[in-house]
Each structure stands twice: as structure tokens, then as C-alpha cells.
Amino acid sequence: LRKLNIEYVLTPHGGYSYKCLNRSRISHLKKQVYIFLFERKHINGSKKIHALNENEKKELVDFKINESKIITIPNGINKLNNITCKDINDSKNITFMGRLDMVHKGLDYLLEGFNLYVKKYNGTNHKLIIVGPDEKNHLKNLKKYVEDNNIQDYVVFKDRVRGKEKDLLLRKTDIFIHTSRWEGMPISLLEALSYGIPLIVSKETNIGDYIIKYNAGVVTELDKNSIAQAIESILDSDIK
């Protein structure tokens, strides 16, 4: 594009956050080399850098990008019509939807927190539904954790869903949960909000300020105790 003198905008989607860049020592070194040799050229040559929220804007400034070059425009989704009330019952579905990258999406924290919740009540009639395509063969590790902790009766794994199947799943979801270590602004969370579903999110999802402002759920720390408490608080609250 630069050779053709075509202006372009970069949208990192949280890719320049500290936690993303320092995922592991090897990953950190590889990314630093790549950024030095290639990425900085794309950044410097871009017309603007698109941040999805104010938190990401701060991360971009920390990444040594000039603030005047950054524009902040949140993600958006199409307006949803004909949302019906869910049936009232004692069994609740707690849903995660996204790539099954255990580290990025914090699925290790999620399972540890849900396991703690289940153990506290010596079982539960609620289900944790984890939906999405396998990433880096992490699904095997997630299933092993479930089996090792004997919570197979409470955790369901499903492959990626689209269209009507996705719509049906969200209509049957009572709590939508996302415990990522870093994010830009996940579309799945906006979709869940459009269905009127309360959220449990880590502050690293960059949507926590909105959740608090509009009383749309709970913002949790990335540890099993906080996540278990967040699940319990929504199930016992009037948010739902």
C-alpha cells in the first residue's frame, strides 16, 4: 500500500497491549524482533491507528505511538429485534463464546473459578457452556482439567456456532462470561448485551467501565476466587 501511495488505517485489536506482547519469554522476544524489523514500518506508514476504547488508546501511547495519530471508535453490531423473555427456571446457562485459546481468553481462570463455585455448593444444576473453535490444541487441556476435577456434569464444550444456532444459544444463555487476559473490544460481548444478557468480564476486556456504568453485570479480577464470587453474585442478584 505504501508503494502505491494508498493511505491505510491499522486496527491492532489489543495486539500491542503489554500482556499480549509479553505472553511468554519466547513469544516476547519473537514479537520484539518482528516489531523492530517489520511492524514499526507499518505503524509509521499508517494514516491513523484505530483504538477500540480509551484503555487501548492508553496502551498504544505506552507502545510509543503518538497520541495525535490515534482515533478511538468502538466496535458496533446490528440492532437486534424480537427479543423474548427467557423461561424462568432454576437451571442457568453460563456461556463463553470465542476462540479456545486458554491463555489469551483466560479459560484456565474461568474453569478454576467455575470449579470453585461447583465445589462450594457440592454440585449445581447450572451449566458452563464453552463455545468456539480449538486454538493451539488447547481444547485437550481444557477437557483434561474438567475431567481431573470431576466437573464433567457441569461443563459442555461446543464447536463454533453461527446464524440460527448462535441465535438460539444466546437466547438460552443466562450469563455471558469472558475472562480474557487482554482484548480490544470483543464483538461477542456486544452481541450478548444486545440480547439483554448480564455479563461477567475481566477488566482486561476493556468493556468493564460500561458494565459498571449501566449495571450490566460484574467486572472480575483474574483469579478463581473473584470469578467464583462473580458467578454467585449474579445468580443471587436482581441483575438477571
Side-chain angles (χ1 to χ4, degrees):
L1 293 177
R2 293 197 305 271
K3 290 179 180 179
L4 296 174
N5 292 319
I6 297 175
E7 295 182 339
Y8 60 92
V9 175
L10 281 181
T11 306
H13 291 284
Y16 299 147
S17 70
Y18 177 82
K19 287 188 176 181
C20 180
L21 293 172
N22 292 273
R23 180 170 178 159
S24 69
R25 186 170 180 273
I26 294 175
S27 174
H28 171 73
L29 291 173
K30 287 181 178 179
K31 286 181 178 178
Q32 290 302 319
V33 171
Y34 177 81
I35 289 168
F36 177 76
L37 293 177
F38 304 105
E39 193 76 3
R40 280 293 174 186
K41 296 177 183 178
H42 299 311
I43 294 170
N44 295 336
S46 65
K47 180 71 173 180
K48 292 289 182 179
I49 305 293
H50 171 208
L52 295 169
N53 48 67
E54 289 302 315
N55 284 338
E56 186 177 19
K57 180 180 178 179
K58 293 175 184 176
E59 291 171 344
L60 293 173
V61 172
D62 291 340
F63 191 62
K64 309 302 182 186
I65 294 175
N66 193 305
E67 187 171 357
S68 65
K69 192 170 186 172
I70 303 170
I71 53 172
T72 304
I73 305 173
N75 277 331
I77 58 172
N78 294 327
K79 184 178 179 181
L80 195 67
N81 297 315
N82 302 319
I83 293 297
T84 57
C85 294
K86 298 180 180 67
D87 295 333
I88 299 175
N89 56 63
D90 293 331
S91 178
K92 304 296 183 184
N93 291 328
I94 305 166
T95 301
F96 164 84
M97 192 179 296
R99 294 179 296 106
L100 303 191
D101 184 327
M102 185 169 64
V103 178
H104 179 187
K105 300 299 182 180
L107 297 175
D108 48 346
Y109 287 123
L110 172 55
L111 284 177
E112 288 172 2
F114 184 72
N115 179 47
L116 188 63
Y117 173 82
V118 171
K119 296 298 191 291
K120 178 178 179 179
Y121 289 96
N122 195 27
T124 178
N125 56 352
H126 309 311
K127 298 284 187 184
L128 174 61
I129 304 172
I130 297 178
V131 183
D134 191 10
E135 187 91 357
K136 303 180 179 71
N137 204 28
H138 285 182
L139 179 58
K140 177 179 66 176
N141 297 327
L142 297 171
K143 287 184 174 180
K144 185 177 186 303
Y145 179 90
V146 169
E147 293 170 1
D148 289 348
N149 288 275
N150 197 30
I151 53 174
Q152 302 95 314
D153 293 339
Y154 315 110
V155 180
V156 178
F157 291 97
K158 295 175 67 72
D159 202 354
R160 186 201 304 267
V161 293
R162 295 185 175 92
K164 291 183 179 180
E165 188 179 4
K166 181 179 180 181
D167 174 66
L168 181 61
L169 178 67
L170 286 170
R171 289 177 188 272
K172 291 183 177 180
T173 292
D174 300 282
I175 301 171
F176 198 90
I177 191 164
H178 213 95
T179 53
S180 292
R181 284 177 166 87
W182 67 85
E183 285 290 353
M185 180 178 282
I187 291 289
S188 61
L189 295 180
L190 303 181
E191 290 175 333
L193 286 172
S194 74
Y195 281 77
I197 303 168
L199 304 185
I200 296 174
V201 299
S202 60
K203 61 183 180 181
E204 287 79 4
T205 58
N206 287 320
I207 200 172
D209 290 345
Y210 299 106
I211 301 305
I212 293 170
K213 181 177 180 180
Y214 296 104
N215 193 31
V218 176
V219 180
T220 179
E221 297 295 329
L222 281 176
D223 68 75
K224 63 182 180 181
N225 292 298
S226 296
I227 292 169
Q229 290 169 8
I231 293 171
E232 185 175 9
S233 69
I234 289 192
L235 289 174
D236 292 342
S237 74
D238 293 328
I239 294 177
K240 54 185 186 301

